[in-house]
Amino acid sequence: MSEQAMQPGGPAMRASDDVMHIPGEDGVPFFGLAREFLTDPRSMAHRMRDTYGPVYRIRFLGQRTVTLSGADALQLVLQDRDKNFSSAKGWDHSIGRLFARGLMLMDFDEHRLHRRIMQAAFKRDALVHYMKAMHDVSRQHLAAWRDARNFRFYPAIKQLTLDNAAVAFLGIELDERANALNQDFIDTVAASLAVVRVPVPGLALWRGLRARGRLGQFFESRIPERRASDMQDTFTRLCQTVDEEGQRYSDADIINHMIFLMMAAHDTVTSSLTTAAHALASYPEWQDRLRAEAEQFGDDPISYEQLDQLSDSEMLFNEALRLWGPVPYIPRRSVREFEFLGHRIPANVQVGVSPDGAHYDPQIWSHPDRFDPDRFSSERAEHRQHPFAFAPYGGGAHKCIGMHFAQILAKVFLRDLVNHFDLALPAGHQLRMQQVPIPKPVDGLPLKLTPRR
C-alpha cells in the first residue's frame, strides 16, 4: 500500500493483518483476547510482555494490533518525529463514530491548525476564569457530602466534575438541563467500549449515537448567540477565537470539539481524583501533609498565583496518575513502515502503547508498585529519568491540551477535601478497578467522611 493511500483524513479502511511475523496470540475466533483485555488489561499486558517481549501482537474484536512496551516505545510513537503514526486512524475503531473530528481524531497539519485555535481556551486568562467555577462547584458538592449516607466517592466526584465542566466549559447553570447533558456525555463515552459495533436499538452503541445527536443539536442551536456573547466559558471562546492567521472554527468544528472536550474534561479527571482520594484514605499522613500545606491560605479560595505552593498536592496527584493512569491504552495506526527493537511493522497496522509500560518500569522508578509521592520531589525527581518516564497526559503533538486544567482542578479540590473531611476506608477494603475504557473502582469506592468543621 502506498504512503499516499495511507494519508490521514482519507476514507476509513481496515487495519492490515500483515503482522503474523510478530510474536503474539490471536485468541478465540473474532473476539481474540477481548475477554482477557476487558477483564484485566494490566495483567494481560504483563503476561504478554513476559511471554513475548516488549513487542507483541494481539487480536481484539476481529482486529490485530501490535503493542510496543516501555518508555522508548512511548517516545517513538507519541513524539512521532518521522510522522509515522496516525492518531485519527488509531482511535477510529473505538470512538470514531462517537467523537468524530475531535482534536484527538486529527493528524499532522490539520491537527496543528485546530490545536492552535483551541489553545486560546486554555491560556492563563481562561484558566483563571475556570478556577472560579472549580471553587464554587467543589464547595457546593462538599457541603452536600456532609449528610451523605453509604457514600461512594466515584459517582460523587463524577457528578462534581460533570457539573464543573457544565459551568466552566458550557457556561450553563446547574439545573435539569445540565443533568440531561451530563447523562448524554455518560452514554456517549460508555458506547466507546460496546462489543456490538452496530447500532442495535437498546444497546450501548445505539444509545451513545443518539446521545451524541442530542449533544450536537444543543451546541448547534446556541452557536449564533455565543458568537456574539461576552461569556468566558470554553464553548463561547471556541465560537469566537480567531488565530493570528485569521483562521476560525466552523459550526461543525465547534460541535465536534465541544463533544470531545467535555468527555476529556471530566472522565479522565474523575478517574484520577478517585485514585487520589483512595490514596489519601489509605495513607492518612498525606492528609496531614496536604492540610499543613494549605494552612497558609486559610479557607479563602486560592489564586492562580498560589497554585505552585501546593507542591505536596501535586506530588500526590501525580503518583495517583502514575499508578492508575486515566488513559491506560493509546492506539495509533502506522502510515508507513517502521522498525522498533528489530521488528519490522508495515504501514496500515494498528499500533498500541501504554503509559503503564513506563510507569511501572523498575529501571526508572524505585519500587514502582509502592505508593510514594515523594518520588516526584525535586530531590528525587524519578519522573525525569526518561523523557517519557511519566506520560499520563500522552506526549508529542497530541499531548492533552487540558493538562493544566486537570492539575488546577485537582489542587483546588484536594485542598478543599482534606480541609473539610477526614477520609477513611471501610475495614478490610481492597481496591478493585474496572480498567477500561477509563479506570474506575468496581464498588464506587466507599469512603467514610468525617467532617472537620
Side-chain angles (χ1 to χ4, degrees):
M1 183 171 294
S2 70
E3 178 180 322
Q4 180 65 32
M6 270 301 298
Q7 287 300 312
M13 62 181 69
R14 182 179 174 82
S16 171
D17 277 342
D18 183 20
V19 293
M20 296 305 291
H21 59 288
I22 304 293
E25 300 174 13
D26 272 359
V28 302
F30 180 73
F31 292 100
L33 301 179
R35 181 176 180 180
E36 185 178 4
F37 177 81
L38 295 175
T39 302
D40 193 344
R42 177 173 286 180
S43 293
M44 188 194 82
H46 283 304
R47 180 182 71 80
M48 295 294 290
R49 190 165 59 245
D50 291 344
T51 304
Y52 301 105
V55 180
Y56 57 86
R57 62 170 168 80
I58 63 170
R59 188 169 62 175
F60 181 83
L61 299 181
Q63 178 170 266
R64 289 190 176 95
T65 296
V66 174
T67 297
L68 314 179
S69 182
D72 287 342
L74 287 170
Q75 185 167 23
L76 171 76
V77 174
L78 301 184
Q79 200 168 70
D80 196 16
R81 289 174 174 165
D82 298 323
K83 296 184 178 179
N84 284 334
F85 305 101
S86 167
S87 179
K89 291 184 182 296
W91 284 104
D92 182 70
H93 182 70
S94 58
I95 66 172
R97 297 175 68 180
L98 297 157
F99 297 100
R101 306 289 296 159
L103 193 63
M104 196 165 68
L105 283 90
M106 293 181 171
D107 288 310
F108 309 133
D109 291 344
E110 180 184 46
H111 172 264
R112 189 178 303 110
L113 168 63
H114 280 250
R115 187 179 177 102
R116 187 173 69 230
I117 299 171
M118 190 179 294
Q119 202 68 52
F122 294 95
K123 289 184 177 178
R124 183 184 184 280
D125 68 311
L127 294 173
V128 169
H129 174 78
Y130 302 152
M131 277 188 71
K132 183 181 187 306
M134 293 176 189
H135 281 295
D136 293 345
V137 172
S138 175
R139 296 193 175 193
Q140 177 181 334
H141 279 260
L142 288 170
W145 293 2
R146 295 175 65 91
D147 300 320
R149 297 292 181 267
N150 299 316
F151 181 77
R152 294 291 189 273
F153 184 86
Y154 182 83
I157 193 64
K158 187 176 184 67
Q159 189 61 54
L160 185 154
T161 57
L162 280 165
D163 286 350
N164 179 71
V167 175
F169 278 35
L170 302 185
I172 64 175
E173 297 295 325
L174 299 180
D175 52 20
E176 290 304 313
R177 178 182 56 175
N179 291 336
L181 285 169
N182 286 344
Q183 187 58 53
D184 281 337
F185 282 111
I186 291 170
D187 289 344
T188 305
V189 173
S192 66
L193 206 63
V195 174
V196 179
R197 304 305 295 176
V198 293
V200 177
L203 297 187
L205 184 59
W206 178 82
R207 290 195 301 271
L209 291 172
R210 285 168 60 88
R212 182 196 159 85
R214 290 190 293 269
L215 292 171
Q217 292 169 8
F218 170 85
F219 290 119
E220 184 177 28
S221 67
R222 289 160 176 79
I223 288 174
E225 68 184 54
R226 293 302 182 94
R227 288 203 187 275
S229 173
D230 61 357
M231 298 171 68
Q232 298 297 309
D233 57 273
T234 305
F235 182 23
T236 302
R237 289 173 185 269
L238 295 192
C239 288
Q240 297 180 358
T241 296
V242 179
D243 72 6
E244 62 272 15
E245 297 179 7
Q247 301 285 339
R248 66 186 301 170
Y249 287 144
S250 68
D251 288 4
D253 291 333
I254 294 167
I255 294 167
N256 292 330
H257 287 315
M258 283 305 305
I259 291 174
F260 176 77
L261 277 175
M262 282 294 291
M263 178 272 289
H266 86 266
D267 246 25
T268 54
V269 179
T270 296
S271 174
S272 301
L273 287 177
T274 300
T275 50
H278 177 267
L280 284 170
S282 301
Y283 301 93
E285 66 271 21
W286 275 90
Q287 296 181 45
D288 295 336
R289 285 182 61 164
L290 265 59
R291 289 186 194 110
E293 179 178 70
E295 280 181 356
Q296 58 190 309
F297 307 119
D299 198 42
D300 295 331
I302 59 174
S303 68
Y304 185 85
E305 290 73 22
Q306 292 170 326
L307 288 168
D308 285 344
Q309 299 176 48
L310 297 177
S311 57
D312 281 352
S313 297
E314 182 173 330
M315 289 193 300
L316 179 128
F317 187 58
N318 282 345
E319 182 70 339
L321 288 168
R322 185 188 70 84
L323 291 169
W324 285 104
V327 183
Y329 186 79
I330 303 173
R332 293 289 189 266
R333 183 87 67 83
S334 59
V335 300
R336 59 177 62 82
E337 182 179 300
F338 71 99
E339 185 175 303
F340 181 67
L341 297 181
H343 294 275
R344 176 191 62 81
I345 293 94
N348 194 28
V349 165
Q350 197 75 0
V351 176
V353 292
S354 172
D356 264 9
H359 291 180
Y360 283 82
D361 186 346
Q363 300 300 314
I364 296 174
W365 308 92
S366 59
H367 305 289
D369 291 326
R370 293 183 185 175
F371 172 78
D372 182 8
D374 282 319
R375 65 176 79 250
F376 288 93
S377 66
S378 57
E379 293 78 15
R380 290 173 59 183
E382 293 182 11
H383 58 301
R384 302 195 186 282
Q385 298 286 337
H386 186 287
F388 280 77
F390 183 59
Y393 302 103
H398 284 275
K399 190 170 187 177
C400 177
I401 198 168
M403 176 179 69
H404 297 299
F405 176 92
Q407 289 278 347
I408 293 170
L409 176 56
K411 289 183 176 182
V412 168
F413 171 75
L414 292 174
R415 176 256 188 164
D416 282 344
L417 179 65
V418 298
N419 276 356
H420 285 80
F421 296 105
D422 289 319
L423 285 69
L425 291 166
H429 181 269
Q430 295 292 321
L431 181 66
R432 293 190 304 115
M433 299 289 276
Q434 174 188 310
Q435 297 176 37
V436 289
I438 295 174
K440 67 177 183 180
V442 173
D443 60 3
L445 186 59
L447 285 183
K448 180 182 179 182
L449 302 182
T450 304
R452 293 180 57 83
R453 58 183 67 182

